[in-house]
Amino acid sequence: MAELDARIASLTKEEKARFLRGQDNWNTYGVKRLDIAPARMSDGPIGIRKVQDEGDMMGVAKTSICYPSGALLAASFDADLLAQVGSALAEEAKAYGVQILLGPAMNIKRSPLGGRGFEYYSEDPYLTGYLTSAYVKALEENGVGASVKHFAANSQESSRFVINEVIDERALNELYLKGFRMTIMNAKPATAMMSYNQINGFHSTENPYLMNQVLREEWSYQGVTISDWMAVLDPVKSLLSGLDIEMPNSNDVNYGKTLIALSTDPQFEKKTDEAIDRIIRMSEKYQKQQSGTYDLNKHHQLAVKAAEESIILLKNQDGILPLRKEERIVVIGDFAIHPRYQGGGSSHINPYEVDDLTKFLSAGKFTFSKGYHLDEREDDSLVKDALEKAKRADKVVMYLGVPEALESEGFDRANLRLPKNQMELIDSLYEVNHNLILILMSGGPLEMPFYDKAKGIFETYLGGEGVNEALYHLLYGEKNPCGHLAETFPVKLEDTPCLRDFPGDATDVLYRESIYVGYRYYETYHIKPLFPFGFGLSYTEFSYSDVSLVSKEDGTFVLSCRMKNIGSLPGKGCAQFYVSKPNEEVFNPQVELCGVATAFLQPGEEKEVTSVIHPNEEVFSYYHFRKHAFVPLYGTYRFGVGSDSEHVNLSLEYRLKGTNLDVPYERKALPFYFGNSHSMNGEREFEKLFNGPLPKMNPHAPFSLDTSFYQASLRGSKGAKLFMKIMSGIEPLKSNRMFREQVFLGPIRCLIYMIPKLGGRNIKHLFGLLNDHHYRYHLLCLGILMLKGRKGIAQ
Ligand code: BGC
């Protein structure tokens, strides 16, 4: 476009440098004289977090609807529902003048301990890509840009800014990139956000493989690449590797470096112009539009519906559910009144209306008891009250959950358990009343040593502001549960595939399990989970049969089956199509999800349902790490349909004729990966799979701007240890775990942005501390600076 070229040509070098970073915390750069408006970004992903004070990254946001977290929405297995949520969010974004919504957050859940598991969709890349494609399409079709994040493999929070993930190229492409590939190719989001972590020695914001090669060349991505907040180290390297915008703007620390490169390197300027071209096209496409209104009540009702269609019924023994109106119930647990409905961190919404369960119950038919304190304090009087009320009730509805202090963005969970006082209360209640129905509110999977004591169990994850109204409808059978787990619930943490490799040693983390994440691992190695992937009960029952597969001229395949409601109530069924790929020459998991179809059926009704396999899902190929590409995998495929990953009838065979040439694996050398052994042979087998030395980082003194205090302390820095010891006693680090982890486990370069007083020439004190040069003196100087800058720290 000549007119756009002319505008770009008329920009000064200073203006060009400014385009490559945020104008402030949330806006892209704008130039009035050329009529180029900034584009406003906002978190995301399950509501609009538009902070009231634009200068404050984590400040109070304007009121908006809080939809269920990604983990719960994924449990709907329903692309139509995701599209409805996406459209509603677009309407809201426009009302607030937001052009780009920072979501969906769609990383693969590698471990159930992952701190952002509540935001992410699934352990399965197909399900993630299938659902997020619908969400992104709906946003984009309604005029709001999406930002798929965090590209890529941001599967842990511990040391998230510095951790180097060592992932073999096949697992990277088949698991960690697949959901992004599907969503980027199917739904063309406005932006893709580069993650904090490193992959095989490269930060995502400086990773030419991820951005130049995969995104731009292989996937033909035309949108804008942005960094996660404060993820840029070297702005020049970043741009050359394919990053368009650094967010937010590093308090201009990086501006000077960009300006020098622009003035000295014509190649850099050419790349800058290309980035600016994309940025301007983006801000013009999603023009500023601020309708100012939307129907809050209507959108709140969508939040209720989304929860109803996603909450998972895990157990219903003796038909204890649904409840009958005439039964006397006791509701136990503060979450019934103040639910745990959203996660902490950047996705935190200032909600419109958070429901209290008791508001919906008929007076005289229920009692309420608080039961326990969220901070795990023992309290006999609360227990006594709960027991007394439970004795007099027909049924006990007990809310349990993981308090926000133990689960949030910024750090990983320590275990999969409920707090001790909550578990003890289950035991005591069971003594007085066997009709226990548990409502679990947690960001991720839980161990359930109490499983046998409960007759009914619902998992709500973090169900959004409408969770309690949704629960009311489900408890009383006004709605029929239809959610399915989008991740496996293991019996115990020790069963998880990456147990020994999560979260690594604060510097490197080896993804030794390779493609065996989640059910791919449990099914292949025959490890019985508590609840398999895809599991979810209903008040009715469904049968799935007659799978068929038809190849079409356009390169797609259509899977279909018959779904029948064989129970006595109307409800939504969910056919899950799985494939078992040939695994003689190339190792493959026992089953992989390759299609999903949901349908609402009346009792006795039967229907054919279908799901389309697109070429970018690579169902009939595998990633050949020597050829750096997907190649066809010849052999016999078996397809089946089931109600979860454990119950699949692989009844249909499909043969892809041909000979596999240059297969890069030797069966004998990889006994674990070929499923012949349960345990990996130390790091050696992974090295063989990786086909080369593992790219570990191993930082050593002198430590750099990209080192964290924690990393330096592990390598013996006395200054770093002392700094951490002193600072952990000072507010807000003392009580705010997310902030504390950011300061200690994040690189010191981030402190420079977060606490500007530490920037500029004071950087020498941070280096001095880390590297043990007169560290007491440097600590003192920093102490004085921080005391002066208390306000800066708090922000
Ligand atoms: C998070 C992103 C978020 C950004 C802006 C980062 O810390 O990782 O998901 O969009 O902050 O709030």
Side-chain angles (χ1 to χ4, degrees), residues 26 43 49 57-58 102 116 119 149-150 154 160-161 193 196 228-229 346 409 738:
W26 302 108
D43 285 306
R49 185 172 75 88
M57 245 149 69
M58 295 308 288
L102 300 173
R116 281 182 103 163
E119 270 189 272
K149 67 188 188 184
H150 311 85
N154 188 173
R160 62 176 169 163
F161 280 83
M193 186 193 291
Y196 290 127
D228 198 345
W229 269 232
S346 58
E409 176 182 339
M738 182 172 165

Side-chain angles (χ1 to χ4, degrees), residues 622 624 626-627 631 659-665:
Y622 72 105
H624 195 301
R626 288 223 177 89
K627 296 185 178 163
V631 300
T659 310
N660 293 310
L661 299 174
D662 309 320
V663 174
Y665 303 117

